[in-house]
Amino acid sequence: MEIIGLQQGHTIEPQSLPGFDAALGCVQRRPAAIHLLYGHSLVYTVSLLIGSAMRQPFAVVDGAMKFNSYTLSKIAAILALPPRTLLQKTHLTRSFTAFQTEAAVTTKLPRFLSRTPCPLVILLGLLDTYYDEQVKPQECRQSLQRIVQTLRDLTAANVHVLIADTEAAGVPPGKESLFHLIHRSADIVFRLEQNGFQHPPSTAFMNEERRTLTWDETTIPSLSLSIGTEKHGANSGGR
């Protein structure tokens, strides 16, 4: 498992991140894979940094209202890219219910990729809509299994998938296993920590990891505050 440590007062410029090139290589090499980046709330910013650093078109499915064009513009500056160029390469759709999330991934996404090839798909807050208490736990598990199958189909077509999510606390009863379902489905798992290298999760959790890497991640406070509701958007898809 790759552990990313966040410390205040540093930058997230790729050249200052030990192991960033290796991490970026994970979403570029073949065969494609399902990646999970979880832990600290900055997983959303870091995932967009990874996607942007590829300098190719990528698709974003935002189920947690974590994407905004201001953050992407700041990432563009870090990577010395024209903001407009990066925004044009970023294709966004949002979902507000579990039903919309499943439809966005299993129906709209494959159809979109058939018209607009993207080597990477980023899922921001995949589980957020599934924590709605109106959706029964069994329905959530069945829906997520269908999503995972679609993601497998995408990787078989050489499209990488990066899921960025936090390991939520206090989820509705019966939904505690949803995160583990996604965790077990990932081929490569990264964990984002608050204060450098931390003790890893339990042995049982570690046994589910499929790759062991080392990556020490740092960030700047100003970027951490830029996550919020997008006001102007990138190439925003319909819901």
Side-chain angles (χ1 to χ4, degrees), residues 73-148:
S73 295
K74 297 193 71 163
I75 289 174
I78 290 170
L79 298 175
L81 292 171
R84 180 179 296 274
T85 298
L86 182 54
L87 288 168
Q88 290 174 341
K89 290 179 180 291
T90 306
H91 303 278
L92 171 70
T93 189
R94 287 196 171 99
S95 59
F96 300 92
T97 66
F99 174 80
Q100 291 177 351
T101 298
E102 180 179 346
V105 176
T106 63
T107 303
K108 294 183 178 181
L109 184 59
R111 187 169 59 217
F112 170 78
L113 293 175
S114 69
R115 302 191 308 265
T116 309
C118 296
L120 175 66
V121 170
I122 298 176
L123 307 181
L124 301 178
L126 173 61
L127 294 176
D128 270 42
T129 57
Y130 288 91
Y131 292 141
D132 184 341
E133 294 184 354
Q134 296 182 6
V135 187
K136 297 179 181 179
Q138 181 61 23
E139 294 175 338
C140 291
R141 288 188 289 271
Q142 292 172 348
S143 176
L144 288 171
Q145 287 167 356
R146 290 190 289 269
I147 284 178
V148 169

Side-chain angles (χ1 to χ4, degrees), residues 4-222:
I4 307 169
L6 294 174
Q7 298 174 351
Q8 297 296 323
H10 295 80
T11 71
I12 61 165
E13 296 180 359
Q15 62 267 27
S16 70
L17 304 179
F20 182 83
D21 288 342
L24 179 60
C26 286
V27 295
Q28 293 176 314
R29 68 171 60 99
R30 295 292 183 263
I34 298 175
H35 310 260
L36 171 64
L37 173 61
Y38 78 102
H40 190 275
S41 60
L42 284 174
V43 293
Y44 309 112
T45 301
V46 173
S47 66
L48 292 173
L49 176 65
I50 292 172
S52 301
M54 292 180 65
R55 300 173 186 266
Q56 297 186 59
F58 64 96
V60 179
V61 178
D62 184 3
M65 297 297 290
K66 296 300 183 181
F67 180 94
N68 70 61
S69 56
Y70 177 67
T71 298
L72 210 63
S73 295
K74 297 193 71 163
I75 289 174
I78 290 170
L79 298 175
L81 292 171
R84 180 179 296 274
T85 298
L86 182 54
L87 288 168
Q88 290 174 341
K89 290 179 180 291
T90 306
H91 303 278
L92 171 70
T93 189
R94 287 196 171 99
S95 59
F96 300 92
T97 66
F99 174 80
Q100 291 177 351
T101 298
E102 180 179 346
V105 176
T106 63
T107 303
K108 294 183 178 181
L109 184 59
R111 187 169 59 217
F112 170 78
L113 293 175
S114 69
R115 302 191 308 265
T116 309
C118 296
L120 175 66
V121 170
I122 298 176
L123 307 181
L124 301 178
L126 173 61
L127 294 176
D128 270 42
T129 57
Y130 288 91
Y131 292 141
D132 184 341
E133 294 184 354
Q134 296 182 6
V135 187
K136 297 179 181 179
Q138 181 61 23
E139 294 175 338
C140 291
R141 288 188 289 271
Q142 292 172 348
S143 176
L144 288 171
Q145 287 167 356
R146 290 190 289 269
I147 284 178
V148 169
Q149 181 55 57
T150 298
L151 300 182
R152 286 283 171 217
D153 293 341
L154 293 180
T155 60
N158 282 329
V159 177
H160 279 280
V161 176
L162 175 57
I163 302 170
D165 220 328
T166 56
E167 191 174 10
V171 301
K175 298 187 178 182
E176 299 86 354
S177 65
L178 298 185
F179 173 81
H180 298 284
L181 186 159
I182 297 302
H183 185 282
R184 287 193 301 270
S185 301
D187 302 304
I188 301 174
V189 177
F190 311 92
R191 179 177 174 84
L192 194 64
E193 292 283 1
Q194 173 66 42
N195 297 308
F197 290 96
Q198 302 273 318
H199 292 294
S202 67
T203 302
F205 204 69
M206 287 289 292
N207 285 341
E208 295 171 1
E209 306 296 345
R210 291 167 172 79
R211 187 176 179 88
T212 301
L213 301 170
T214 300
W215 181 16
D216 182 22
E217 174 74 77
T218 56
T219 191
I220 51 176
S222 59

